[in-house]
Every structure is written in C-alpha cells, then in structure tokens.
C-alpha cells in the first residue's frame, strides 16, 4: 500500500498524453507531487513535451520546471521547444532562484529576449540575482522572503503573512527589518503562532540573528545552516541590509554537490561523471588525469632508469617497486582525505598548521614504523635476504612519513592560498608519492649497494 | 556588525562562569542560539562543566545537549559528571530522537538506570525508539509529531497545533490519520494558514502522502527527502500506521555522514578519521588498510619475482612498472567512484548491469587506446626502442580496459548482493589492478621476449 502511494502510474499518463485526453491527463498529472511531475517530464520525448506545453499553463509548467534537474547543456534545447512567450511566462512564475538557475545555462541573447517579453516586476527580480558569482550565497538565495517591521502586533504580522504566503518561498521564518531595510530580528512562525495576538513583534522576535554575507562561499553557508539547524538563512550585504534568504532544500543540494565534487576529485575524475553519460562523454571526463599521470609516470620511469646499474646488479629490487610506491601513494591519499574533510568541516579553523603537521608526523611515524617492521620480517622470512628486507622496510618507513606529510601539507597550503584543496586530487598526490618513494628506495639501494652484492 | 552578531563573547562567559556570577551568566548564556551554547559547552573543562550543571536546569541543559556532537566515547564520561537525577531529567527533556542518540553511546546498565529514574511517559517514548536498527529510518525518526483526524475544521486543527507546538519537533507539517492511526493525509502549516477557518481538513489535505517504511535505509530516506524537498517525512510500518517523522536537520546530518563515509572509504581510511584525533587514534584508523596493502603488495612482488628471467634479460622493463600499475590503479578508481556515486544517487535503478558494463567497456576502450597510443609514441621518441614502446602502450591499452571494467563491476556486484559498495575502497581496487596490470605487462613481455633482445 505504501508502495502505491509513493509511486505513480507513468504508463497511464503516457497513454493519456499520446491520446491527447486533455481533461483526464490534467486531472491525473496535477494531482502528482511536483517532483514526480518533473520525473515524468524528464522521461518524455520532444514531441510529447510539446503536447505537454499545450496541456499545461505556464504557471503549472513553472512548478514542474522548479524540480527538473537537467544536465547543463540540455536546458537550451528544451527551452527552445516552447514559444518565447510561454517560456518567459513560465520563468516569471518560477521561484526566482530556480529561474535564475535555468537562465544561467542559456545563451546571453536568449536570456535577454526572455527578460524583455517578461512582466517588468519578475524581470527586475531576476536581473538582481543574475549577476551574483557562482558558488556564493548570492547565487543560491531567493528574494521571495517575508520581511516585516518590529513596530506591530503578532496579529497584524499574521495578516501580512497570510497575504504574502502564496509568493514566499518559505513562511516559516519571518524577518524583521528597520526603516532602511536592515535586518534586526527574526521570528519563527512557530513562535508567532504560540504568542498572543496583541504582543508586539519587538517583544517576541530574536534580535540575535545568524546571517551570512552575500559573497560568502556556499559551502560555508551550508556548514552554518547544518550547525544551527535552520530551515532558512538570511543573506545580508556589508551594512546588514537584508538581500535574500537561502532555504534548506537548496542547502541539501549544495551539500550533495560539494560531496560529489570532492569525491570525484579524490578519484581523479576531472568533472562530475555519471552512469547516465555515453562512453565518449565519460572518457572525456576521465582522460585529462590519465594523460597527466602518463607524463608523471614517465618521470618515474626516467628516475628508475637512472638507477639502471643498481637494478642490473640487484634485479630483485624491481619486485618491490609496486609495493613501496603503492603504500606511499595510499598513505598520502589517506592523509589527503583527512585534511580535505577537515577543511570542509571547518576543523582547520581551530588549529594551527604547525599543530596539524605535528599530528600527521606522529601518525606517519606510527604507520611507517609498524608497516616497515612488518615488511622487513615478511621479506626476511620469504627471501631470507636480511639486507634486502631491511632496505624495503626502511624505505617504507621513510616513504610513509614523507607521504603522510605531503598528503596533509599540500591541501593545507592550497587552502591557505585560497585554492580549493580538493583539486590536489588523489592521483596527483599518489603519483608525487610514487616518485618520492622510488627515489628513496633506489637512493638507499645505491648508497648501500655493497651489502646486496 | 554582522560578525558581532554571528559570534559570541566566549571570554566573557568563561569569566562569569569562573567567578560564579550566576545571574549574569544565565542572562548572557540563555540568550545564545543553542548551537553556540553547545560550542561553548564543548570548550569547557570538567570542573567548569560541573559548575554549568549547577547554573542550568535540566530543561535548559537539554537544549544544549541536543546540539552537542561528541566523539562517541566521550558521552559516557560527560554523563557521569551529572547526578543521575539531573541526567535522567535532561534526557527526558530532550527531543526523543536526540536522547536516543545519546543513550545509544552509553553502557546498557547506565541506560537502564536512567530510564528507571525518568518519568514514565518519556521513558516509554525513548524505549520505543531504542530498539530500531542503526542506519534505518526508525533509528533517526522522532515520535514528537502532530497527528490529527480529517474529520474536523481548519480552526480546530489550528487549536490542536497551538496546544501541541511546544512538544513537537516540527509543526510545519501536520499528519492526518484515520481511527486506527493509519496515515491518510498531510497538510502543511502554510496551507492551513491560508485556508478558511471553517474548511474541513479532509478538503484541504493532500491524500497522496510520500512516506518511508521504518526499516528503510537512512540513505534512501535522505534521497527521497532531497528529491521531494520536504522539511519532514512520515515513517510508517508495513500497514501504513504512522510511527514517527524524520526532520530535515537530521537528514542533512545523514547526507553529510554518508558523504564523509564514502570519501574516507575511497581513500582507504577504515573509519572516519579527523584532524581532531591524536596521532595514535589516527594511525589506528589508517593502519588496517596499509597492512592489507602490504600483503597484497607482497603478492605483486612475488608475481614480478616469477618473471625474474625476463627482467634479467630486459632490465629496462622495470622502469615502466609504476607507470602501468599507476594508470591501471587510477582508471579503476575513477570507474569505482562513478559507480559508487551512481549507486548512491539511485541512477543504478534505471539501468541494467549489462548496459552499464557496455558503457564502461566503451569508456575503457577510448581511454585505453588514447593513453596507449600516447605512451607508445612518447617512449619511442624517448628510448628509440619500438618494441618496448609498443609493449608498454599495448599493456596500458589492455590494462585500462580491464581496470575500468573491474572498477565498475566490483561495486555493482556488491550492491546486488546487498554489501555497501563503498567498502570496495580505492586502495583495494587499486591494488587488484596493480596485480592484473603487472601480470599483463610481464606476460606479454615474456611471450614476445625475442623481440626485446
């Protein structure tokens, strides 16, 4: 029974659309949750979509479109299927932040023409938001919030709320502003409802408002919102003027995107790749790192080439190259992951770089010595050659310490100079550590060559 | 100005607490947002915490504790600092889902004793939630929701809402149940507010309720909530009885946790490691994978050992081991990351495993041939040895195809047999691909040995 309610009859909708059963289709379709409407929309072919535009008003289509998440290059085509008037009206009826998201994916010409046909008020609202930089608070906020003055009763505030509710993106927080639109307080609908009608807003509002500034990074906004458990967060300029709000549903998307992004970078997929792409698109997303790795790998190869005479004399050394490089590469990735997550979570702020390095040095010493000792014993038992065993073990020991430090230092330094540390992706750190560890291994081998002969 | 509002005067609070200025401290402290209260609490030493317990009532402390996120092993100690009566009363005053989170970290004895002292109603509520399995909808839901019958007016529903608001975790969705507590509808406070007082609930409620079943995986719940943009989601049993609700703030935490978890696993950190741990704890979280890698690396070493005579005759082969292994390892991690993200996002559901494999095979063919050709040309230009160049290039071609397939197939198969695919972590896939690629490389080298001599 739960199943029936959570899904919907896609087949029936297809059939009604194909048969152009206008009334029946609308009855079924408009009863769906807007996410399900969007899912249905995404499953249609062009011809069916065009029928749908005829079946739905621009207002109804706006609700569908608010929930549609297209691959970036698809918006252009889909929008071109509508008449310009229909498209402009649909955009005007969408929540302004969602409309801006769509417009950001279109040609400048197309955007300009929609804004010209659109009613003036909507066009002005949209234009205000269009110029904010991507990934800032400004780029994800909406201007459809409810703001009131503190100089009124709960009852009159409730009246304003009822009037403005249809247009506001959330009515669960009401923001209080002074005569020059500066944010001075906030009150939740919950507090409003349990307060007496005649109480003044100034008495029940909280004047300790947590806000974010319009240029703040969206990841930072997400962190604050998660920590404070807000459903919406006000966005202000440097003089505390209330510019907009960011709602929790957009923050959920931000958290998801940022996590996907960090994850992809750790794996060395240059851009977000998905199971939905065709092989050519996928290959394009993966090849850049592979080609960089190829060049870095050639460096490692030429490095090993320089130790050819050592290798000639002690060929058994070759067998342990992947072991040492692999362990150093992985240790570096571990340290990288902890540092990148730490930065993302804001743990960095509370600690000095020196303290973190001390911590990672300690960790490297423990993992390095443990792994080094185990390796020495294993190889000695297996090969019976104490010097080779000691060489491999000692190389692992030194490599792991350096790899741990490199894995932590590189993202921390990048963060200091304001580069996204996740760019120092897994394969990059891995290959750097491959090179360092190979150098250490063959360096020691050559230095103590006489023992192995 | 924004800065002042968003932070708080920690120094002043410390001072007031130290000087035992009861009145002034409470005035300052209780004015803070509960997240800031929790941040302050976490910065205290034991002695100061004990003073704090004397300064705050269990109700006030409950609000602080709802926002405290302790490392798992710390709850036990902190709770032991309070008198059992104080602790029990605090737990009873917390939102029941948060209280359960705390109790889940304590000894069974301690839990039992708190539940015995606690008022009966709270104890019963808590006990109901304590037995749900971790990571299911049941384990993160709360029972503090508002449920009404459809057989009443908007006005009477609003009266119920005002009465129950202080205890409910959210009042923004009101759930409608029939006479046997089965979920039949939902209405948002927004719709309630804009409806006329005399309208019947049955007329304004939505009877197409999206719900999750109590045993559903929390990651699945998070996905639904994100897709539908809900602020809360009802949890039902198999007969559609309403058991609880899950609020969006808990879902934000789930998304964050799951992302951290996947990320850590990709990097081969066995459990979530943070910059806050000491080196010994950190090393413990990282060593398991390193030791496994050591054993797998020994396998690679012994594999290369078997080709010793080939290596003896063509020592230059050793130089390209890290290159080939590194590229295969990374390709596998890329495919793994795409597959794991795809599974997490639910993209899997729409596609058959055969189709995904076809896609990955295509991707592997493109990345493999591109990288293979580039490698062949580079090595030929560098070393002037066509056969070695061809051997390396061809090995990269074959290795990348197999590595791509392995990276995608392993998590997909794990998902099919209901193992969390993120467990097939980066280092594991990398090492498997190290072994496979080394085997291919030396296999071909041995097969065509005569060409290299």
């Amino acid at each position: 029974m739960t199943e029936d309610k959570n899904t919907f009859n896609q087949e029936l909708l297809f059939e009604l659309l194909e048969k152009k059963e206008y009334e029946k289709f609308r009855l079924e379709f408009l009863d769906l949750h807007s996410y399900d409407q969007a899912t249905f929309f995404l499953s249609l072919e062009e011809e069916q979509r065009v029928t749908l535009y005829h079946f739905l008003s621009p207002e109804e289509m706006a609700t569908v479109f608010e929930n549609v998440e297209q691959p970036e290059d698809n918006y252009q085509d889909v929008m071109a299927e509508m008449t310009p008037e229909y498209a402009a009206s649909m955009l005007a009826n969408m929540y302004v932040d969602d409309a801006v998201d769509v417009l950001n994916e279109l040609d400048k010409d197309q955007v300009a023409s929609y804004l010209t046909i659109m009613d003036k008020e909507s066009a002005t609202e949209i234009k205000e938001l269009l110029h904010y930089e991507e990934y800032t608070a400004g780029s994800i906020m909406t201007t459809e919030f409810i703001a009131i003055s503190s100089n009124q009763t709960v009852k009159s505030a409730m009246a304003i709320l009822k009037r403005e509710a249809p247009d506001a993106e959330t009515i669960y927080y009401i923001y209080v502003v002074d005569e020059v639109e500066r944010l001075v307080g906030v009150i939740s609908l919950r507090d409003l409802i349990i307060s007496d009608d005649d109480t003044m807003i100034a008495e029940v509002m909280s004047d300790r408002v947590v806000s974010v500034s319009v240029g703040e990074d969206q990841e930072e906004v997400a962190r604050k919102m998660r920590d404070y458990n807000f459903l919406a967060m006000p966005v202000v300029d440097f003089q505390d003027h209330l510019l907009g709000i960011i709602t929790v549903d957009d923050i959920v998307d931000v958290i998801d995107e940022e996590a996907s992004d960090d994850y992809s970078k750790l794996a060395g997929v240059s851009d977000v790749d998905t199971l939905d792409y065709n092989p050519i698109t996928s290959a394009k997303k993966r090849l850049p790192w592979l080609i960089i790795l190829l060049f870095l790998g050639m460096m490692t190869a030429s490095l090993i080439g320089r130790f050819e005479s050592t290798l000639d004399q002690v060929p058994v050394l070759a067998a342990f190259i992947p072991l040492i490089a692999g362990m150093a590469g992985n240790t570096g990735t571990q340290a990288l992951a902890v540092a990148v997550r730490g930065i993302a979570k804001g743990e960095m702020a509370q600690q000095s770089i020196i303290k973190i390095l001390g911590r990672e040095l300690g960790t490297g010493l423990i993992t390095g010595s443990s792994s080094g000792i185990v390796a020495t014993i294993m190889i000695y038992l297996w090969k019976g050659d104490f010097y080779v065993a000691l060489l491999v073990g000692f190389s692992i020991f030194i490599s792991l310490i350096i790899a741990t430090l490199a894995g932590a230092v590189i993202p921390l330094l990048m963060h200091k100079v304001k580069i996204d540390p996740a760019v120092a992706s897994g394969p990059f750190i891995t290959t750097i550590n491959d090179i360092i560890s190979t150098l250490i291994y063959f360096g020691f081998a050559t230095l103590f060559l006489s023992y192995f002969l």
Side-chain angles (χ1 to χ4, degrees), chain A:
Chain A
M1 184 160 179
T2 313
E3 278 310 305
D4 285 346
K5 279 191 188 170
N6 285 350
T7 57
F8 59 95
N9 195 338
Q10 192 145 354
E11 291 308 311
L12 175 67
L13 282 172
F14 269 129
E15 211 182 294
L16 294 173
L17 195 65
E18 285 292 324
K19 290 191 185 157
K20 312 232 187 245
E21 301 245 24
Y22 179 80
E23 293 295 341
K24 280 194 192 153
F25 176 82
R26 284 178 54 85
L27 204 69
E28 279 295 321
F29 186 78
L30 295 176
D31 192 37
L32 294 181
H33 186 279
S34 46
Y35 172 71
D36 293 328
Q37 294 180 344
T39 308
F40 178 72
F41 176 77
L42 285 173
S43 69
L44 298 179
E45 303 293 326
E46 177 172 350
E47 204 181 320
Q48 298 168 315
R49 284 198 295 267
V50 173
T51 313
L52 188 69
Y53 307 142
H54 285 112
F55 278 17
L56 300 178
S57 70
E59 291 79 17
E60 288 158 352
M61 198 59 212
T63 317
V64 180
F65 236 68
E66 280 162 6
N67 285 277
V68 164
E69 272 174 48
Q70 295 267 2
E72 291 167 15
D73 38 347
N74 276 16
Y75 275 112
Q76 191 95 10
D77 298 340
V78 170
M79 297 293 290
E81 296 163 5
M82 309 174 185
T83 64
E85 290 72 24
Y86 186 95
S89 172
M90 179 190 82
L91 288 164
N93 277 289
M94 286 172 72
Y95 283 125
V96 56
D97 54 340
D98 293 325
V100 168
D101 286 346
V102 173
L103 288 173
N104 271 328
E105 304 303 335
L106 305 182
D107 280 348
K108 282 198 175 157
D109 287 357
Q110 213 175 347
V111 174
S113 82
Y114 289 145
L115 290 177
T116 318
I117 327 178
M118 202 178 288
D119 66 287
K120 242 188 179 146
E121 200 190 317
S122 305
T124 314
E125 274 184 359
I126 287 176
K127 275 182 205 157
E128 267 174 29
L129 287 183
L130 263 180
H131 70 267
Y132 289 110
E133 229 178 304
E134 234 187 333
Y135 309 121
T136 61
S139 74
I140 51 170
M141 74 182 185
T142 178
T143 48
E144 290 151 321
F145 54 85
I146 301 181
I148 58 173
S149 83
S150 64
N151 185 25
Q152 60 185 313
T153 62
V154 164
K155 192 175 178 181
S156 75
M158 279 297 282
I160 296 178
L161 192 112
K162 281 189 198 187
R163 201 182 60 219
E164 296 195 5
D167 283 330
E169 188 157 336
T170 182
I171 61 161
Y172 300 135
Y173 292 121
I174 297 97
Y175 297 96
V176 185
V177 291
D178 64 13
E179 54 292 337
V180 291
E181 301 293 322
R182 272 197 312 242
L183 180 65
V184 294
V186 62
I187 178 165
S188 69
L189 178 53
R190 185 186 193 124
D191 290 334
L192 214 51
I193 279 185
I194 56 176
S195 300
D196 286 330
D197 277 359
D198 301 328
T199 319
M200 295 302 286
I201 291 297
E203 285 173 50
V204 284
M205 76 179 196
S206 157
D207 56 3
R208 203 182 270 272
V209 199
V210 179
S211 61
V212 292
S213 89
V214 69
E216 199 149 339
D217 189 288
Q218 62 174 9
E219 210 169 348
E220 184 58 32
V221 179
R223 216 173 68 215
K224 271 193 188 163
M225 204 122 154
R226 186 198 62 206
D227 287 344
Y228 287 97
N229 287 343
F230 288 140
L231 299 180
M233 186 91 138
V235 181
V236 295
D237 65 13
F238 70 107
Q239 287 180 310
D240 250 1
H241 295 113
L242 181 58
L243 301 178
I245 61 165
I246 296 170
T247 48
V248 70
D249 55 307
D250 294 323
I251 287 302
V252 168
D253 292 339
V254 167
I255 293 177
D256 232 37
E257 266 170 42
E258 298 274 355
S260 276
D261 202 42
D262 286 357
Y263 190 82
S264 301
K265 280 177 184 152
L266 186 64
V269 188
S270 72
D271 196 351
V272 175
D273 183 15
T274 82
L275 290 179
D276 293 333
Y277 287 137
N278 66 43
I280 297 173
T281 315
S282 280
K284 271 192 208 154
K285 310 256 174 194
R286 301 187 197 177
L287 263 176
W289 261 118
L290 292 177
I291 298 295
I292 293 173
L293 285 186
L294 192 58
F295 279 82
L296 290 172
M298 288 292 170
M299 279 181 58
T300 319
S302 92
L303 208 66
I304 297 178
R306 283 167 195 254
F307 294 102
E308 208 165 311
S309 73
T310 307
L311 206 53
D312 268 352
Q313 294 172 65
V314 198
V316 70
L317 292 182
F320 297 102
I321 298 174
L323 172 68
I324 295 171
M327 291 201 64
N330 192 248
T331 309
T333 309
Q334 290 180 328
L336 169 76
V338 174
V340 170
R341 285 308 295 172
I343 292 167
K345 281 190 182 169
E347 286 163 7
M348 264 289 292
Q350 297 136 32
Q351 295 179 55
S352 71
I353 230 173
I354 300 293
K355 200 179 149 200
I356 294 176
L357 287 190
R359 207 191 76 85
E360 290 296 322
L361 180 65
T363 309
L365 275 167
I366 299 171
T367 54
S369 54
S370 319
S371 306
I373 291 168
V374 174
T376 307
I377 295 171
M378 281 176 76
I379 296 170
Y380 180 64
L381 292 179
W382 175 32
K383 294 267 175 192
D385 185 332
F386 180 68
Y387 290 110
V388 168
L390 194 64
L391 171 70
V392 174
F394 191 68
S395 299
I396 288 179
F397 172 62
I398 301 288
S399 298
L400 259 52
I401 294 172
I402 296 178
T404 306
L405 286 176
V409 168
I410 294 175
L412 290 177
L413 287 182
M414 291 176 90
H415 181 63
K416 281 276 170 213
V417 295
K418 311 260 176 209
I419 301 174
D420 178 1
V423 171
S425 63
F428 180 70
I429 295 282
T430 303
T431 310
I432 294 290
N433 284 326
D434 272 7
I435 296 175
I436 294 174
S437 61
T438 310
L439 202 59
I440 291 170
Y441 179 48
F442 280 106
F444 281 121
T446 309
L447 215 56
F448 300 104
L449 191 62
S450 55
Y451 292 96
F452 307 113
L453 297 176

